[in-house]
């Protein structure tokens, strides 16, 4: 599998539109890896994980051809991860669409999409050539040659948020952003799997290093990685990437790299590519 990080920021992006903090000022001045779109991913050329408000910018910047996408996995229904507005442009009169798109996620995400389409665009998922497959924690499903395990995240529990384990071609990828430290039963869901690469929430970053509820800081993220390792879930050569950063956590890229280097953890950035 090939993973492309299409975005590496939390809800406000970096630089946040109205923010005067040091991190946002630095990002405006220096650009590069310190400019962060809202978090989303592409797996190979046919799968997206989350589809947020930066979708157009991401497709242009990183050469994402949405006409080749077969499926989108939604972690949860927060607006930085679920963008019904840009999904609605699939409807007749705005786009010529013949290719079906399968959407995966929990019931609150499906409800949000259906409600928006009915109220705002007077259309339906069916009119957009979309099918929605509901996922619950612990579900293991297959779509094409992609195997998926749904894992309960500890984040905005009223939205039934999910993390995902993907397996294709004998390789396994964990995407675990928008979560605090998992409960034991979430780790137990993967006890028969070996993770070859993991992308893990580090929203609270350096300023709130030990935070582990709803999101994680840098120290909590290292503990999370270590728990995966202690349970024998990480391959010996697994790559681990910190991602999903809020500017409020002090997320200047070089500072994060400096912190994580002794832990053999990489720092995600927009456009980062990873062969799993």
């Amino acid at each position: 599998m090939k993973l492309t990080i299409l975005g590496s920021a939390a809800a406000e992006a970096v630089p946040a539109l109205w923010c005067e903090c040091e991190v946002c000022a630095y990002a405006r001045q220096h650009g590069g890896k310190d400019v962060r779109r809202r978090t989303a991913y592409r797996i190979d050329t046919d799968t997206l994980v989350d589809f947020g408000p930066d979708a157009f910018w991401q497709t242009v910047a990183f050469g994402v051809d949405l006409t080749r996408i077969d499926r989108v996995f939604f972690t949860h229904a927060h607006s930085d991860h679920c963008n019904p507005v840009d999904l609605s442009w699939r409807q007749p009169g705005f786009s010529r669409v013949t290719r079906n798109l399968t959407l995966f996620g929990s019931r609150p995400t499906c409800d949000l999409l259906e409600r928006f389409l009915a109220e705002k665009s007077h259309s339906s998922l069916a009119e957009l050539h979309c099918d929605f497959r509901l996922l619950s924690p612990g579900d293991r499903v297959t779509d094409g040659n992609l195997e998926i395990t749904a894992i309960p995240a500890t984040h905005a529990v009223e939205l039934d948020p999910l993390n995902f384990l993907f397996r294709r071609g004998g390789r396994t990828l964990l995407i675990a952003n928008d979560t605090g430290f998992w409960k034991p039963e979430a780790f137990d869901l993967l006890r028969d799997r070996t993770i070859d690469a993991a992308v893990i929430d580090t929203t609270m970053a350096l300023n709130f290093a030990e935070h582990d509820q709803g999101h994680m800081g840098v120290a909590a993220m290292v503990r999370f990685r270590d728990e995966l390792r202690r349970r024998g879930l990480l391959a010996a050569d697994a790559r681990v990437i910190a991602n999903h950063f809020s500017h409020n956590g002090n997320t200047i890229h070089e500072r994060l790299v400096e912190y994580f280097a002794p832990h053999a953890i990489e720092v995600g950035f927009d456009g980062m590519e990873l062969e799993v």
Side-chain angles (χ1 to χ4, degrees), residues 12-21 23-24 27-28 247:
E12 310 96 323
V14 185
L17 290 172
W18 306 100
C19 188
E20 301 173 12
C21 79
V23 172
C24 291
R28 290 188 188 101
H247 61 106

Side-chain angles (χ1 to χ4, degrees), residues 82-143:
C82 182
N83 173 11
V85 175
D86 285 343
L87 190 66
S88 73
W89 303 137
R90 289 175 60 89
Q91 67 184 288
F94 291 99
S95 299
R96 183 183 302 170
V97 174
T98 60
R99 186 183 179 99
N100 286 334
L101 181 67
T102 304
L103 311 177
F104 294 82
S106 61
R107 168 55 68 183
T109 302
C110 183
D111 290 346
L112 170 72
L113 292 173
E114 290 182 332
R115 185 168 60 250
F116 174 90
L117 293 173
E119 295 176 357
K120 302 298 184 181
S121 68
H122 308 292
S123 62
S124 65
L125 287 171
E127 288 178 79
L128 306 186
H129 292 275
C130 290
D131 301 312
F132 201 101
R133 291 181 63 179
L134 290 172
L135 291 177
S136 298
D139 284 353
R140 290 189 176 186
V141 301
T142 300
D143 192 56

Side-chain angles (χ1 to χ4, degrees), residues 101-263:
L101 181 67
T102 304
L103 311 177
F104 294 82
S106 61
R107 168 55 68 183
T109 302
C110 183
D111 290 346
L112 170 72
L113 292 173
E114 290 182 332
R115 185 168 60 250
F116 174 90
L117 293 173
E119 295 176 357
K120 302 298 184 181
S121 68
H122 308 292
S123 62
S124 65
L125 287 171
E127 288 178 79
L128 306 186
H129 292 275
C130 290
D131 301 312
F132 201 101
R133 291 181 63 179
L134 290 172
L135 291 177
S136 298
D139 284 353
R140 290 189 176 186
V141 301
T142 300
D143 192 56
N145 63 358
L146 190 66
E147 301 174 29
I148 308 99
T149 302
I151 306 157
T154 59
H155 173 82
V157 293
E158 71 280 3
L159 297 178
D160 297 335
L162 298 170
N163 293 163
F164 298 109
L165 188 76
F166 298 99
R167 183 171 178 81
R168 172 180 272 172
R171 304 290 286 176
T172 304
L173 166 68
L174 172 67
I175 292 183
N177 58 250
D178 279 72
T179 188
F181 207 91
W182 286 351
K183 295 180 179 179
E185 52 265 34
F187 289 100
D188 289 343
L189 289 172
L190 306 183
R191 58 182 174 269
D192 60 342
R193 298 298 178 93
T194 300
I195 299 166
D196 298 299
V199 184
I200 301 170
D201 184 284
T202 320
T203 306
M204 310 307 288
L206 295 161
N207 283 351
F208 310 95
E210 295 289 349
H211 187 93
D212 65 1
Q213 300 300 306
H215 288 297
M216 289 185 280
V218 291
M221 186 274 200
V222 172
R223 287 194 288 109
F224 184 95
R225 188 279 309 270
D226 290 348
E227 181 64 11
L228 291 173
R229 182 179 285 169
R230 185 188 72 79
R231 289 170 172 261
L233 300 176
L234 281 180
D237 59 348
R239 292 177 66 177
V240 177
I241 296 95
N243 204 50
H244 194 279
F245 302 108
S246 169
H247 61 106
N248 293 305
N250 184 2
T251 53
I252 291 174
H253 188 80
E254 289 183 359
R255 294 176 186 168
L256 292 167
V257 169
E258 182 179 3
Y259 178 89
F260 280 119
H263 303 284

